[in-house]
């Protein structure tokens, strides 16, 4: 499935800032001589979490309000090897929101080699952590997510994933 290029993802830092950056440490290397798949997922997941906060999802939810987000589905695509010592960053596109869900795509970039290394398409749900059931987004958070969806709609490359909010 076609994906945006490295240049597509880095051209609009106003819309797609680097939400996570790191230099791949030696402990991330697996027996194949590249970053282990668990670290592709973890690094991108943290980038997505930082994007959520930038879009208005409070960092304090879990402690104070007893609400949060649960991942419901992922679609993962490994497009290139990342090696120890490479600089990587995560860009996140907000695709769509439903009353209880959010569709985003996280892109792990190998900035050292100027390539897109990994794509994590995600459906996440807003949940009540007391009942462990989904609930609608609060109005203020929904408004922030809607602003992100609208801002990212101007990007001129399509989201070619397989997930959708319902």
């Amino acid at each position: 499935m076609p994906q945006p290029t490295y240049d597509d993802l880095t051209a609009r830092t106003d819309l797609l800032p680097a939400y996570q950056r790191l230099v791949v440490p030696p402990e991330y290397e697996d027996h194949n001589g590249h970053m282990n798949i668990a670290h592709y997922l973890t690094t991108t997941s943290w980038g997505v979490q930082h994007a959520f906060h930038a879009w208005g999802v409070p960092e304090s939810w879990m402690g104070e309000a007893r609400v949060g987000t649960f991942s419901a589905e992922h679609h993962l695509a490994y497009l290139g090897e990342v090696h120890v010592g490479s600089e990587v960053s995560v860009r996140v596109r907000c695709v769509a929101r439903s009353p209880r869900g959010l569709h985003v795509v996280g892109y792990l970039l190998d900035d050292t080699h100027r390539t897109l290394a990994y794509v994590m398409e995600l459906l996440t749900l807003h949940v009540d952590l007391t009942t462990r059931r989904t609930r609608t987004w609060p109005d203020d958070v929904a408004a922030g997510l809607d602003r992100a969806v609208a801002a990212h709609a101007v990007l001129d490359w399509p989201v070619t994933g397989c997930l959708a909010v319902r």
Side-chain angles (χ1 to χ4, degrees), residues 62-83:
M62 289 181 60
E64 295 173 14
R66 299 294 303 150
V67 295
T69 58
F70 283 0
S71 292
E73 292 185 55
H74 287 107
H75 180 261
L76 312 175
Y78 298 87
L79 306 174
E81 292 182 275
V82 176
H83 295 97

Side-chain angles (χ1 to χ4, degrees), residues 48-118:
V48 168
Q49 187 70 34
H50 294 310
F52 285 1
H53 298 318
W55 300 334
V57 174
E59 291 183 47
S60 62
W61 262 8
M62 289 181 60
E64 295 173 14
R66 299 294 303 150
V67 295
T69 58
F70 283 0
S71 292
E73 292 185 55
H74 287 107
H75 180 261
L76 312 175
Y78 298 87
L79 306 174
E81 292 182 275
V82 176
H83 295 97
V84 169
S86 291
E87 294 181 25
V88 297
S89 64
V90 177
R91 313 301 167 118
V92 184
R93 183 174 187 174
C94 194
V95 179
R97 183 187 69 81
S98 69
R100 298 169 186 256
L102 186 66
H103 179 198
V104 301
V105 182
Y107 300 95
L108 179 70
L109 303 181
D110 180 338
D111 295 311
T112 299
H113 298 98
R114 298 180 54 82
T115 60
L116 172 59
Y118 170 79

